[in-house]
Coordinates of all heavy atoms in Angstrom, one line a residue:
H583 N -18.7 4.1 1.3 CA -18.1 5.3 0.7 C -17.8 5.0 -0.8 O -18.2 5.9 -1.6 CB -16.8 5.6 1.5 CG -15.9 6.7 1.0 ND1 -15.6 7.8 1.8 CD2 -15.3 6.9 -0.2 CE1 -14.8 8.6 1.1 NE2 -14.6 8.1 -0.1
E584 N -17.2 3.9 -1.1 CA -16.8 3.6 -2.4 C -17.9 3.1 -3.3 O -18.0 3.6 -4.5 CB -15.6 2.6 -2.5 CG -14.4 2.9 -1.7 CD -13.6 4.0 -2.4 OE1 -13.9 4.4 -3.5 OE2 -12.7 4.6 -1.7
H588 N -19.8 7.9 -3.4 CA -19.4 8.7 -4.5 C -20.4 8.8 -5.7 O -20.5 9.8 -6.3 CB -18.0 8.3 -5.0 CG -16.9 8.7 -4.2 ND1 -16.7 10.0 -3.9 CD2 -15.9 8.0 -3.5 CE1 -15.6 10.1 -3.1 NE2 -15.1 8.9 -2.9
E611 N -15.0 14.0 -1.0 CA -14.7 13.0 0.0 C -15.6 13.1 1.2 O -16.0 12.1 1.8 CB -13.2 13.1 0.4 CG -12.2 12.7 -0.6 CD -12.5 11.4 -1.3 OE1 -12.9 10.4 -0.6 OE2 -12.3 11.3 -2.5
A614 N -19.0 11.5 0.4 CA -19.0 10.0 0.4 C -18.8 9.5 1.9 O -19.5 8.6 2.3 CB -17.8 9.5 -0.4
H668 N -8.6 14.3 2.2 CA -9.3 13.4 3.1 C -9.2 13.9 4.6 O -10.2 13.8 5.3 CB -8.7 12.0 3.1 CG -8.9 11.3 1.8 ND1 -8.1 11.4 0.7 CD2 -9.9 10.4 1.4 CE1 -8.5 10.7 -0.3 NE2 -9.6 10.1 0.1
Ligands
ZN1147 ZN1 -13.3 8.7 -1.7

Side-chain angles (χ1 to χ4, degrees):
H583 176 120
E584 300 292 346
H588 279 305
E611 291 311 322
H668 292 85

